[in-house]
Amino acid sequence: MTSAKLSHTVAIILKALSLGYQFGFEIMEVTGLPSGTVYPALRRLERDDLVSSKWEAEEHALKEQRPVRRYYLLTRAGKGAAATAIQRYPLLSRLIPEKLVKT
């Protein structure tokens, strides 16, 4: 992905992923972006090999009584694009908090 294609929306999603936010609803909550923006962007990022995804085990979701989640992770190229996003939009570092790790 060239920096010309690095929109603010894509940049903020890449930043969220780089901080450990991994599924769509979580990304929507932390960025304030609507689902109609987040999910198409994630599909494009996956198509462009910046993000990979996998479905969680159904048993885990059933145990928590919620729908199955699709988890997204940055690829090597995606990590590079996230670094470019932070350079291009330096205020992103202040917009999205570091994800608290569950213990």
Side-chain angles (χ1 to χ4, degrees):
M1 171 174 280
T2 65
S3 62
K5 291 183 180 180
L6 191 57
S7 69
H8 186 265
T9 299
V10 167
I12 200 166
I13 291 170
L14 289 171
K15 178 64 177 172
L17 288 166
S18 75
L19 291 174
Y21 297 96
Q22 294 184 311
F23 57 92
F25 187 73
E26 190 175 53
I27 294 167
M28 289 170 11
E29 280 187 320
V30 75
T31 63
L33 296 170
S35 62
T37 299
V38 170
Y39 289 107
L42 287 168
R43 283 193 298 275
R44 286 190 303 275
L45 290 168
E46 192 166 18
R47 178 200 65 205
D48 294 341
D49 294 322
L50 298 178
V51 169
S52 64
S53 71
K54 67 176 185 171
W55 289 98
E56 75 176 329
E58 188 174 344
E59 303 85 52
H60 187 74
L62 288 172
K63 190 186 320 180
E64 294 186 11
Q65 298 181 353
R66 58 167 174 74
V68 177
R69 292 175 178 159
R70 188 171 186 169
Y71 287 93
Y72 296 88
L73 296 171
L74 291 173
T75 62
R76 181 177 291 170
K79 290 175 184 174
T84 300
I86 293 165
Q87 288 178 333
R88 184 165 180 187
Y89 301 106
L91 291 178
L92 283 180
S93 296
R94 296 184 190 171
L95 291 176
I96 303 174
E98 291 282 339
K99 183 170 182 182
L100 298 176
V101 178
K102 294 179 185 175
T103 55

